[in-house]
Amino acid sequence: MAEETKREVLGLKPKGDLIREAEERPLQRNPAPALALAPSGLMKGDKCEEPGPDPKPAAAPLQPTEEDNNPPVNWKDWKIGFKLCNQNKSDCFYQTYSSGVDAVREWYRFHYINILSRLPDSFTSLEEDKLGNFIFSCRFNQASCSQANYSHFHHPIYGNCYTFNGENNSNLWMSSMPGVNNGLSLTLRTEQNDFIPLLSTVTGARVTVHGQDEPAFMDDGGFNLRPGVETSISMRKETLDRLGGNYGDCTYNGSDVPVKNLYHSKYTQQVCIHSCFQESMVKECGCAYIFYPRPEHVEYCDYKKHDSWGYCYYKLQGAFSSDRLGCFTKCLKPCSVTSYKLSAGYSRWPSVTSQDWVFRMLSLQNNYTIKNKRNGVAKLNVFFKELNYKTNSESPSVTMVTLLSNLGSQWSLWFGSSVLSVVEMAELIFDLMVITFLMLLRRFRSRYWSPGRGGRGAQEVASTPASSLPSSVCPKLPSLASSLPSPDTSPTLTAPPPAYATLGPCPAPSSLAGASSSVFTLEEP
């Protein structure tokens, strides 16, 4: 089991089952992160309408009665939403919401996605090159911004969005000093007259801070800017290094994750999750969702070509939220993560005493003409709080060295011994084993193997008295004893051979004599 601890230390590695080491490191020149900026609502200039024939004049509506204007309906029985069916209308369900505002926005958003899916890939927004229509002024590190410092992309809901200091920019910014005067300062147009009211119900602008090699997820992260307010965002960079392998599940570059990266950017868990949902969308519904990049040779969903894609999408969205698709299980956390901790401060801008000349300058320079001037402008400052960053690193708390140290400590605690005592005990055990082995070997040799055992056995048989023989021994015949050779002819024989004939039944005397004579005739010289 692993536990995660975090300590604000410098060069100190704490102990634990799984440790995160936090280290403060100074920066000489800190690369500024990317900043994605978008208006909070889609402007009418960004609206994409499908061309078609002139609408036919609507028929005159019938005059409603008093009963129609006041239907007797209990508000607790209301269900706000819309109905979706599959292709053959055999299965339908209601996508309901607790608020009528959310239901209307989602229904309008659903139809707007179908319009966007019919646009060609070469489509560019009318406002792409007109940065001044949204950003009145831009400065970074006391220098004015140029067109090389930002890139444009289109968001289905927010419309025209701009990324400052992104990976695709030709001139990247570097921060050499902390503070609000050495960061990015923007004056934004937040006028609401040109916004499409059914896509977004908020005013202001949407801002998110992300890494230069990461895509901007405007819906998943970020914050809104309030009109008539100066928002100051201080940043602090933090990195996290996880241990993979046996210590945890993480991936270094996403190559071991069974999900194709559709963003063609650095691997992040959010990139993997969106790519996984898009793959499931293409597999189950036969088309791609316009909010995410589409695979090759796949069309975006459009109810003119895929009449039941809405039914499939909302069903799939429910399975995705409950992790029945397995996207949250497949997409591992990256082993190395860089994030930016933000803290915000707000103040009224411009002030009462300075608003006259500020709005006059905006009118002369940017053609800023709006009745309620404070609701049409906002200011944003993004800067580093201090030029250092914190690194949280994980390290194994129990290594081989610490394991041996803990074993020695426990041994000394419970047995009161030291290293010399352990060596002496090991030597004693070794000596006991050697002595035991030698004793067993001597006993084995004395019982089963002895060089002089054959001679001693013959002497013992020869010296055995006749009275001690068993009762089945045959009596000694005179003819056999008289026919034995004299001791002079065989001086080397010290004892007669064992009486093997006594082990069996007694033979007849005649046959025994004949056999004896035949044997001794062979031994004559």
Side-chain angles (χ1 to χ4, degrees), residues 83-86 89-94 311 315:
K83 183 179 180 181
L84 296 167
C85 299
N86 59 355
K89 311 299 181 183
S90 61
D91 185 19
C92 299
F93 76 98
Y94 288 92
Y311 168 86
K315 285 284 188 180

Side-chain angles (χ1 to χ4, degrees), residues 358-369 373:
V358 170
F359 289 135
R360 180 173 179 80
M361 291 300 299
L362 291 177
S363 301
L364 295 175
Q365 184 179 0
N366 303 101
N367 194 19
Y368 181 72
T369 57
K373 297 182 178 181

Side-chain angles (χ1 to χ4, degrees), residues 140-159:
F140 177 78
N141 203 9
Q142 303 295 330
S144 298
C145 307
S146 62
Q147 190 174 358
N149 299 126
Y150 72 90
S151 59
H152 171 270
F153 68 95
H154 188 271
H155 192 272
I157 299 300
Y158 299 107

